Short mmCIF file of all heavy atoms in Angstrom, two decimals:
data_model
loop_
_atom_site.label_atom_id
_atom_site.label_comp_id
_atom_site.label_asym_id
_atom_site.label_seq_id
_atom_site.Cartn_x
_atom_site.Cartn_y
_atom_site.Cartn_z
N LEU Z 17 -9.51 -6.90 14.50
CA LEU Z 17 -8.11 -6.74 14.04
C LEU Z 17 -8.05 -5.83 12.82
O LEU Z 17 -7.18 -4.96 12.71
CB LEU Z 17 -7.50 -8.11 13.70
CG LEU Z 17 -7.13 -9.01 14.89
CD1 LEU Z 17 -6.82 -10.42 14.41
CD2 LEU Z 17 -5.92 -8.43 15.63
N LEU Z 18 -8.96 -6.04 11.90
CA LEU Z 18 -9.00 -5.23 10.68
C LEU Z 18 -9.29 -3.76 11.01
O LEU Z 18 -8.68 -2.85 10.44
CB LEU Z 18 -10.06 -5.78 9.73
CG LEU Z 18 -9.73 -7.12 9.07
CD1 LEU Z 18 -10.96 -7.75 8.43
CD2 LEU Z 18 -8.64 -6.93 8.01
N ARG Z 19 -10.21 -3.55 11.93
CA ARG Z 19 -10.56 -2.17 12.31
C ARG Z 19 -9.37 -1.48 12.99
O ARG Z 19 -9.04 -0.33 12.68
CB ARG Z 19 -11.76 -2.20 13.24
CG ARG Z 19 -12.24 -0.78 13.65
CD ARG Z 19 -13.46 -0.83 14.55
NE ARG Z 19 -14.65 -1.25 13.82
CZ ARG Z 19 -15.25 -2.44 13.96
NH1 ARG Z 19 -14.77 -3.31 14.83
NH2 ARG Z 19 -16.32 -2.74 13.28
N THR Z 20 -8.71 -2.19 13.87
CA THR Z 20 -7.59 -1.61 14.63
C THR Z 20 -6.40 -1.30 13.74
O THR Z 20 -5.70 -0.29 13.95
CB THR Z 20 -7.15 -2.59 15.74
OG1 THR Z 20 -8.28 -2.87 16.58
CG2 THR Z 20 -6.03 -2.00 16.58
N HIS Z 21 -6.16 -2.14 12.74
CA HIS Z 21 -4.94 -2.01 11.94
C HIS Z 21 -5.24 -1.58 10.49
O HIS Z 21 -4.51 -1.94 9.57
CB HIS Z 21 -4.17 -3.33 11.95
CG HIS Z 21 -3.76 -3.76 13.32
ND1 HIS Z 21 -2.67 -3.22 13.99
CD2 HIS Z 21 -4.32 -4.67 14.17
CE1 HIS Z 21 -2.56 -3.80 15.18
NE2 HIS Z 21 -3.54 -4.68 15.33
N LYS Z 22 -6.28 -0.79 10.33
CA LYS Z 22 -6.67 -0.35 8.98
C LYS Z 22 -5.54 0.41 8.28
O LYS Z 22 -5.22 0.13 7.12
CB LYS Z 22 -7.92 0.53 9.07
CG LYS Z 22 -8.36 1.10 7.73
CD LYS Z 22 -9.61 1.97 7.87
CE LYS Z 22 -10.00 2.56 6.51
NZ LYS Z 22 -11.21 3.42 6.62
N ASP Z 23 -4.94 1.36 8.97
CA ASP Z 23 -3.89 2.16 8.34
C ASP Z 23 -2.72 1.28 7.89
O ASP Z 23 -2.15 1.48 6.81
CB ASP Z 23 -3.37 3.23 9.31
CG ASP Z 23 -4.41 4.33 9.55
OD1 ASP Z 23 -5.37 4.41 8.75
OD2 ASP Z 23 -4.26 5.08 10.53
N MET Z 24 -2.38 0.30 8.71
CA MET Z 24 -1.26 -0.57 8.38
C MET Z 24 -1.60 -1.46 7.18
O MET Z 24 -0.74 -1.78 6.36
CB MET Z 24 -0.88 -1.42 9.59
CG MET Z 24 0.50 -2.05 9.48
SD MET Z 24 1.82 -0.82 9.25
CE MET Z 24 1.91 -0.12 10.89
N ALA Z 25 -2.86 -1.85 7.07
CA ALA Z 25 -3.28 -2.68 5.94
C ALA Z 25 -3.12 -1.93 4.62
O ALA Z 25 -2.58 -2.47 3.64
CB ALA Z 25 -4.74 -3.11 6.12
N PHE Z 26 -3.57 -0.68 4.61
CA PHE Z 26 -3.46 0.11 3.37
C PHE Z 26 -2.01 0.50 3.08
O PHE Z 26 -1.60 0.57 1.92
CB PHE Z 26 -4.37 1.33 3.43
CG PHE Z 26 -5.80 1.01 3.13
CD1 PHE Z 26 -6.72 0.82 4.16
CD2 PHE Z 26 -6.23 0.86 1.82
CE1 PHE Z 26 -8.04 0.49 3.89
CE2 PHE Z 26 -7.56 0.55 1.54
CZ PHE Z 26 -8.47 0.35 2.57
N LEU Z 27 -1.23 0.75 4.13
CA LEU Z 27 0.20 1.01 3.92
C LEU Z 27 0.87 -0.23 3.33
O LEU Z 27 1.68 -0.12 2.40
CB LEU Z 27 0.87 1.39 5.24
CG LEU Z 27 2.41 1.54 5.18
CD1 LEU Z 27 2.80 2.68 4.25
CD2 LEU Z 27 2.98 1.77 6.58
N SER Z 28 0.52 -1.39 3.83
CA SER Z 28 1.12 -2.64 3.35
C SER Z 28 0.77 -2.88 1.88
O SER Z 28 1.62 -3.32 1.10
CB SER Z 28 0.64 -3.81 4.21
OG SER Z 28 1.08 -3.67 5.54
N LYS Z 29 -0.46 -2.58 1.52
CA LYS Z 29 -0.86 -2.73 0.13
C LYS Z 29 -0.05 -1.78 -0.76
O LYS Z 29 0.40 -2.17 -1.85
CB LYS Z 29 -2.35 -2.46 -0.04
CG LYS Z 29 -2.81 -2.57 -1.50
CD LYS Z 29 -4.31 -2.40 -1.66
CE LYS Z 29 -4.69 -2.49 -3.14
NZ LYS Z 29 -6.16 -2.44 -3.36
N LYS Z 30 0.16 -0.57 -0.29
CA LYS Z 30 0.92 0.40 -1.06
C LYS Z 30 2.37 -0.06 -1.24
O LYS Z 30 2.94 0.07 -2.32
CB LYS Z 30 0.88 1.77 -0.36
CG LYS Z 30 1.52 2.90 -1.17
CD LYS Z 30 1.31 4.23 -0.47
CE LYS Z 30 1.90 5.38 -1.30
NZ LYS Z 30 1.67 6.71 -0.66
N LEU Z 31 2.95 -0.60 -0.16
CA LEU Z 31 4.33 -1.08 -0.24
C LEU Z 31 4.46 -2.25 -1.21
O LEU Z 31 5.48 -2.41 -1.88
CB LEU Z 31 4.82 -1.51 1.16
CG LEU Z 31 5.02 -0.40 2.19
CD1 LEU Z 31 5.27 -1.00 3.57
CD2 LEU Z 31 6.19 0.51 1.79
N ALA Z 32 3.42 -3.09 -1.27
CA ALA Z 32 3.46 -4.28 -2.10
C ALA Z 32 3.13 -4.00 -3.57
O ALA Z 32 3.39 -4.85 -4.43
CB ALA Z 32 2.49 -5.33 -1.55
N THR Z 33 2.58 -2.83 -3.83
CA THR Z 33 2.15 -2.51 -5.19
C THR Z 33 3.34 -2.09 -6.05
O THR Z 33 4.07 -1.15 -5.72
CB THR Z 33 1.09 -1.39 -5.19
OG1 THR Z 33 -0.04 -1.83 -4.43
CG2 THR Z 33 0.65 -1.07 -6.61
N ILE Z 34 3.53 -2.78 -7.15
CA ILE Z 34 4.63 -2.47 -8.08
C ILE Z 34 4.24 -1.27 -8.93
O ILE Z 34 3.14 -1.21 -9.49
CB ILE Z 34 4.92 -3.70 -8.98
CG1 ILE Z 34 5.51 -4.83 -8.13
CG2 ILE Z 34 5.86 -3.33 -10.12
CD1 ILE Z 34 5.68 -6.14 -8.88
N LYS Z 35 5.16 -0.31 -9.02
CA LYS Z 35 4.93 0.87 -9.86
C LYS Z 35 5.01 0.45 -11.33
O LYS Z 35 5.86 -0.35 -11.72
CB LYS Z 35 5.99 1.94 -9.59
CG LYS Z 35 5.81 2.67 -8.26
CD LYS Z 35 6.93 3.67 -8.03
CE LYS Z 35 6.87 4.85 -9.00
NZ LYS Z 35 5.70 5.71 -8.74
N THR Z 36 4.14 1.01 -12.13
CA THR Z 36 4.18 0.72 -13.56
C THR Z 36 4.31 2.00 -14.39
O THR Z 36 4.00 2.02 -15.58
CB THR Z 36 2.90 -0.05 -13.99
OG1 THR Z 36 1.74 0.74 -13.65
CG2 THR Z 36 2.83 -1.40 -13.30
N ASP Z 37 4.76 3.05 -13.71
CA ASP Z 37 4.90 4.34 -14.40
C ASP Z 37 6.27 4.96 -14.15
O ASP Z 37 6.41 6.19 -14.09
CB ASP Z 37 3.79 5.30 -13.97
CG ASP Z 37 3.80 5.55 -12.45
OD1 ASP Z 37 4.58 4.88 -11.74
OD2 ASP Z 37 3.03 6.42 -11.99
N VAL Z 38 7.29 4.12 -13.98
CA VAL Z 38 8.65 4.62 -13.77
C VAL Z 38 9.11 5.36 -15.03
O VAL Z 38 8.99 4.82 -16.14
CB VAL Z 38 9.62 3.47 -13.45
CG1 VAL Z 38 11.05 3.97 -13.36
CG2 VAL Z 38 9.21 2.77 -12.16
N PRO Z 39 9.63 6.58 -14.92
CA PRO Z 39 10.12 7.29 -16.12
C PRO Z 39 11.37 6.62 -16.67
O PRO Z 39 12.41 6.62 -16.04
CB PRO Z 39 10.41 8.70 -15.60
CG PRO Z 39 10.60 8.55 -14.13
CD PRO Z 39 9.75 7.39 -13.70
N LEU Z 40 11.26 6.05 -17.85
CA LEU Z 40 12.37 5.30 -18.44
C LEU Z 40 13.08 6.06 -19.55
O LEU Z 40 14.03 5.56 -20.13
CB LEU Z 40 11.86 3.97 -19.00
CG LEU Z 40 11.21 3.01 -18.01
CD1 LEU Z 40 10.66 1.79 -18.75
CD2 LEU Z 40 12.22 2.57 -16.95
N SER Z 41 12.61 7.27 -19.84
CA SER Z 41 13.13 7.99 -21.00
C SER Z 41 14.62 8.22 -20.94
O SER Z 41 15.35 8.00 -21.90
CB SER Z 41 12.39 9.32 -21.18
OG SER Z 41 12.47 10.08 -19.99
#
């Protein structure tokens, strides 16, 4: 399952990752 859905796993991690460099100036 992990091998078949590798791209989706990394995409999911990217979607779940909160940005901490939003330009607030």
Side-chain angles (χ1 to χ4, degrees):
L17 286 168
L18 289 166
R19 182 178 289 108
T20 303
H21 300 281
K22 177 180 178 180
D23 290 344
M24 197 58 74
F26 280 99
L27 173 63
S28 297
K29 178 176 179 175
K30 186 174 183 178
L31 291 171
T33 300
I34 292 173
K35 287 178 68 69
T36 57
D37 58 353
V38 175
L40 299 176
S41 55

